[in-house]
Amino acid sequence: MKTKMTGKVTERSTKPCVEDDRTGISVESIKRAFLDHLCYTLGRFPAVATRNDLYMALAYTVRDRLLHRWMKTVESYLREDVKVVSYLSAEFLMGPQLGNNLINLGIYHQVEQAMKELGHELNKMIAQEEEPGLGNGGLGRLAACYLDSLATLRIPAIGYGIRYEFGIFDQEIRDGWQVEVTDKWLHLGNPWEIRRPEITFQVNFGGHTETLCDGSGRYRVRWLPERVVRGVAYDSPVAGYAVNQANMLRLFSAEACESFDFQAFNQGDYYSAIDEKVASENLTKVLYPNDEPVQGKRLRLEQQYFFVSCSLQDMIRLHLLQWQNLKNFHEQYAIQLNDTHPSIAVAELMRLLVDEHAVDWDMAWHITTNTLAYTNHTLLPEALEKWPLELFASLLPRHLEIIYEINRRHLETIAALHPGDSRMLARMSLIDETGERYVRMAHLASVGSHAINGVAALHTDLLKKDVLRDFSRVFPERFLNVTNGVTPRRWMVLANPKLAALISSRIGGRWISHLEEELTKLEDFADDREFQQEWHSIKQDNKLQLARMIKARTGNTVDIESLFDVQVKRIHEYKRQHLNLLYLITLYNRIKENPKTAITPRTIIFGGKAAPGYFMAKLIIKLINSVAEVVNNDPDVAGRIRIVFFPDFNVKTGQWIYPAADLSEQISTAGKEASGTGNMKFALNGALTIGTLDGANVEIREEVGAENFFLFGLTAEEVNDLKARGYNPRDYCNGNESLRRAIDCISSGCFSRGDANLFRPLVDSLLYHDNYLLFADYQSYLDCQERAAAAFRDRSQWTRKSILNVARMGKFSSDRSIREYCSRIWGAKPLADQIDDADLSAAARL
Ligand code: F58
């Protein structure tokens, strides 16, 4: 230990004046602050501190610096009378915070040095952090990237969501099967959040409504709930990159309104007295781990309403701190609905305005529709949320009344525009009455929003043609596309520091916050042999690092000279991990037929979680592991193909995996993947893509150039045509010898120790349905893989393509997406002033 445990400046300090230990960013200040937190926040002295203590002390040190910026930011909100963006999302997949915060605050190197001087390794402290897995996949991670960009662009914004006690499960692989283990991300404490016991809101459930006339003779409705839950805010600061600004993620946790039911307690029934407490707290206990909506689960609707109500009440509270009434609410707030999960906001904002704040209906509707905007993230019809009417009525009786009234007016408008078209009315109604009755949440969101967007050009097109066709015809002006993006701070600077440094060495560091303008400058170096060499050797370093992780987590040894061919994403039939497998089985069969066959050595890395109740997805994981076991252990293969299933793919492991990939698998059936964002993370880290014309792949290919992208498969239109003509997968199978052999292999038990039944459901589903057209795309995929393999053999050409890919990927920064949301949907502007140290007292109120 080189420094005394004291808040005073040490003898070794060279600075004449002492920096504030809560805000200072010199090595000395950081050391003092760290030791101070270790001692006085955690009650530990260095000699007995565990790795977690060290991580916590450092996290608190960093948080102080974030809070300082956050308070300054809030102060300038108040001063500048700004419009605030509220991003409502049931999921925020933030990933580990420490490393990212160090980068955004620009103190990575000072902190590394400070820790080194105290005898600690920063890397290990960063690795100690449990990631908050409060999301399932792309949608939740997109929300996190957007928070990063909002702060970086200095847009006043708040992320609103749910503080799940258990996030997405941890995945273990046992005997080749996925096993779900509960994610106890809070068990060692969460140093980033601040609980705000005084920022709480009541949320009602159930009961009934009654009408009354208020003092001024107005008709009013009162909701008499059966149950009341309290939502408590937890805030985590979100720093922008290289700016003096921090925004906030505000997550709500459910608590009982009274700790005990005193009546039951007095009667001596202790257990039923705490029943209600337990029931209330269950509300935010666990994230639903599905990548499709769980239809009809009461708790899920409770979660959605709970966080939406808390968030809207919070915005109204903040608004009324500054304004006398709510008439200009839509001028002060832009609320983005991240898919339909928060779409109950349409009815809740109306309820709060009309019932609680006595705003008349028309004015309330004007405010609501001008505040809300809706992003759709899926085209899969089965993924569109709808709630059984009975369930909805029993939980949210007042909201159903409001929805009926919205619907009445909405259908009146449609009827006036399309007289006599009763089928159109039925299709556009907020209530699905074709069988069991449902509330259609995408319809509710579309009617209640002034803007509706898809997340990639193709997706928005298909949305307009298909899922929301009627709405796009009636309200064409509401529809627009905002292609997704990812933050280069986490996905390049943090995940791939060596590549980031190499890029900066040639084009300077401005690219980190101006990706679109700056990254193209790399094109000049694509043919530079020395640069290619450096580029390649960084890829090899990243592959080596991943190889070590693979060894540690799976026991597999992989060769870093082989092509690292990676498919990491949720496991889903439409994403077609099993198409990748069919290719691998085909390669294997070729080797078995002729062990001398020349093939480009490949390491195929899969990763991803399956929804716990999604049988077919779990069977795909089992099949990957079963094929891996046979192929990896066959001496004929002689290391030319290695298949690895990397367990527990999440943000943290993603940060190791993307930078190490040579080839990125984006092979969904065209028309099914709304955008994809993994495709962007891979390409920004120098992987080439093998993919279909689906989601954002289309735009990635346009940007990087057709010659730098391995394209295969049917287009979305061809998929539809083929299905319309009548698709028979067996014809494809019988007509293609190598496909037939691959399928035979699986069904005869080659990969299941002779058990012909294990994979039968998968094989049968392909042979008899093949909903995602694997067989139709099989040959094209095979040919394309061969082209990729051949290209990889020419290192210099491959590296050139890799450089060009990165150079041309600037469009896919989430900064560009957020700029588009700001100008085209939200009408939000960056803060004008660079924040100074003005009086912070007003900020303290928030
Ligand atoms: C994803 N959706 C899309 N949903 O599949 C992907 O194409 C897109 O890039 C991404 O959104 C971001 O726009 C997605 O991740 C979910 O995880 C939902 C979670 C809640 C239940 C329903 C699915």
Side-chain angles (χ1 to χ4, degrees), residues 69-77 244-246 831 835:
R69 288 173 196 226
W70 177 62
M71 285 194 286
K72 290 206 281 184
T73 305
V74 171
E75 196 278 330
S76 58
Y77 286 8
N244 219 353
Q245 169 152 358
L831 285 171
I835 301 156

Side-chain angles (χ1 to χ4, degrees), residues 148-155 245 814-815 818-819 830-831:
D148 181 276
S149 286
L150 281 161
T152 298
L153 294 170
R154 307 180 63 245
I155 307 295
Q245 169 152 358
S814 44
D815 298 347
I818 287 298
R819 270 195 209 100
L831 285 171

Side-chain angles (χ1 to χ4, degrees), residues 317-351:
R317 174 185 73 87
L318 292 170
H319 184 85
L320 293 176
L321 279 177
Q322 280 192 286
W323 303 89
Q324 276 151 11
N325 60 47
L326 293 165
K327 281 189 189 137
N328 61 341
F329 184 76
H330 56 291
E331 285 158 15
Q332 301 302 121
Y333 279 94
I335 301 179
Q336 192 65 29
L337 306 175
N338 198 21
D339 216 293
T340 52
H341 322 132
S343 60
I344 188 65
V346 176
E348 175 65 355
L349 186 50
M350 286 300 287
R351 186 190 72 80

Side-chain angles (χ1 to χ4, degrees), residues 87 90-91 135-143 146 287-294 300 304 338-341 375-380 383 385 454-456 459 482 484 570 574-575 672-680 694-696 821:
Y87 200 83
E91 305 190 355
N136 271 287
L139 171 145
R141 183 54 230 173
L142 186 78
Y146 283 0
L287 165 82
Y288 279 96
N290 302 296
D291 51 2
E292 269 176 26
V294 270
R300 172 78 176 164
Q304 296 184 352
N338 198 21
D339 216 293
T340 52
H341 322 132
T375 305
N376 172 290
H377 294 265
T378 185
L379 290 166
L380 302 182
E385 271 196 314
V455 289
H459 170 231
V482 183
N484 284 344
R570 288 297 287 247
Y574 85 78
K575 296 180 190 275
K672 299 293 178 197
E673 187 71 88
S675 160
T677 43
N679 45 6
M680 302 168 189
D694 199 15
Y821 277 101

